Amino acid sequence: MKPDNRLRQSPVQLDGRPHRTLVRDHWPVVCEYADEGDGPWLVDLSHCQRIDIQARPLAAMIPEGLPEPEAPGEVRIQDQSLITRMGKAQACLWRFGQAAAFPVGFNGTEITEATLALAILGRHTFAIAEKLSSLDLQAPGRSLPRLYQGPFAQVPCQLVVLDAAAGREMLLLSCSRGYGRDMVGAITNAGAEFNLRPAGEDRFMRMFENREKGA
Amino acid sequence: MAFTITCPICGPRSGYEFRYGGQDKGPRPDPAEMTPETWCDYVHMTDSCPGVQKEWWYHRAGCGIWFTIYRDTTTNLEVSPDSPEAVA
């Protein structure tokens, strides 16, 4: 029997020239684009593993060693993973880069193939977001990182504000895969005036690791 | 008409993010004592009175939960569950 070398396909293609790519877990990954510029950047993270957890109590389902966000809206970062608490009995795990796979037998529902994941990074990130959503992503008094669930470009999304400090802005976005092309089109159009450029996973990982160290 | 609804998970949001679920009529009639008439009344008959009513809402563009609020149907403003109008 021949080995199955088919590749997964991201729901979106960013309008840039990939400079360095690799294949990880059957997903083609762009590590770096040529001419990424000074930011802001748009990064396709659809290849990153995402797992939906629904349980009561929730703590019983979170893999050992990872922290549990205590209240809806809270987010925890550890070991290149991110956990968002969406409700009383629901959370979502994100695994970035080369983070260790979640344990075999772990009872979450993998939603990686069913959803789109993007990151908007760098200066003007929230100016771009403001053009596409009425959500108050920069509400003062809320600790970061923070999860918001609501419409972005009129699509129900999960939005994670990872950092809002000047020059280190990071916004993660996830929605149903079918909205991918239109979502990227809306973000690209909104970011045109700020010179939004596609960027590879490496740029996201550098910023995420810095954020994790400071978390 | 725009108004704000307070989701217990996400906080105050635009009413356009929600789907109306109808008046909260309390628990279903007891199946042991239910007649076609009582079931029909429970499903189809609403008070439709101007003023404060307890009603169901679904946060379809957000966290996806069903919850109840008290709303004054004449002003579209939420009313605290502890207020005299809501208690009445």
Side-chain angles (χ1 to χ4, degrees), chain B residues 39-56:
Chain B
W39 179 241
C40 182
D41 283 353
Y42 180 76
V43 172
H44 298 293
M45 303 305 284
T46 55
D47 292 341
S48 297
C49 292
V52 175
Q53 73 170 5
K54 187 180 184 186
E55 52 195 25
W56 285 99

Side-chain angles (χ1 to χ4, degrees), chain A residues 94-111:
Chain A
W94 301 54
R95 187 171 70 92
F96 298 112
Q98 302 288 347
F102 291 118
V104 175
F106 172 63
N107 285 325
T109 304
E110 174 139 14
I111 55 171

Side-chain angles (χ1 to χ4, degrees), chain A residues 131-201:
Chain A
K131 293 174 72 175
L132 296 167
S133 177
S134 60
L135 293 173
D136 189 6
L137 298 175
Q138 289 191 289
R142 288 184 180 163
S143 60
L144 298 182
R146 178 99 194 156
L147 169 73
Y148 294 83
Q149 299 173 88
F152 191 90
Q154 301 184 44
V155 173
C157 288
Q158 289 179 43
L159 298 149
V160 180
V161 178
L162 280 168
D163 205 339
R168 303 202 308 261
E169 293 94 335
M170 299 180 77
L171 176 65
L172 278 175
L173 179 156
S174 176
C175 66
S176 289
R177 179 183 172 101
Y179 293 110
R181 189 184 62 179
D182 293 331
M183 180 61 76
V184 164
I187 295 172
T188 304
N189 287 338
E193 65 172 298
F194 305 106
N195 200 24
L196 179 75
R197 302 279 307 146
E201 187 193 48

